[in-house]
Amino acid sequence: MSAPTIPAPRAGYQRSKAKGSNFEMGAWLFMRLSGIILVVLIFGHLIVNLWLGDGVHQLDFGFVAGKWASPFWQIWDLTMLWLAMIHGTNGVRTIILDYAERPATRMTLQIVLYVASAVVIVLGTLVIFTFEPCPAGADPSLLPSICEAL
């Protein structure tokens, strides 16, 4: 019994190099790397907010105001916001590309997705960097208790 033979390639056939951008490869790689970073950021967030100190009982307006007084926690939360939104947007973009059959539907869904993601990123960034727990000139009865100590 002889070993099976592998047919020779067709004459004149040459494998062509892939054309176009590497966007999909970059998006695939981003999902893996951002997922790893997000796991670290989210577990750090949960440990500090829920495990250390009084746990969930410490979470209130004053706790957030105290955290966001530090540039470290502002950058931590900003990084978590941006990575989570871009990671999620890329995942939903992939789902739209897989399941939306008509090009017009696909384009409409992608535009809605990108606009919604941009709005959340911009508003979240503004909240993190412009958060002022004790605005000057505000009615003292409306301010949180941490403002009395300041």
Side-chain angles (χ1 to χ4, degrees), residues 18-94:
K19 294 180 179 128
S21 72
N22 287 329
F23 177 78
E24 290 300 327
M25 179 63 172
W28 180 87
L29 188 60
F30 171 79
M31 291 297 277
R32 274 66 188 164
L33 295 176
S34 67
I36 293 168
I37 296 168
L38 277 168
V39 166
V40 172
L41 290 171
I42 289 168
F43 274 107
H45 178 84
L46 291 173
I47 288 169
V48 168
N49 290 341
L50 302 177
W51 194 32
L52 300 178
D54 292 332
V56 74
H57 303 292
Q58 71 186 351
L59 296 180
D60 60 5
F61 185 84
F63 179 81
V64 174
K67 265 185 68 179
W68 282 354
S70 165
F72 174 81
W73 288 113
Q74 285 181 326
I75 298 299
W76 185 284
D77 286 349
L78 181 74
T79 304
M80 196 166 47
L81 168 73
W82 277 62
L83 277 180
M85 285 305 301
I86 296 170
H87 183 96
T89 300
N90 190 35
V92 174
R93 178 192 66 85
T94 303

Side-chain angles (χ1 to χ4, degrees), residues 134-140 143:
C134 307
D139 181 4
L143 295 176

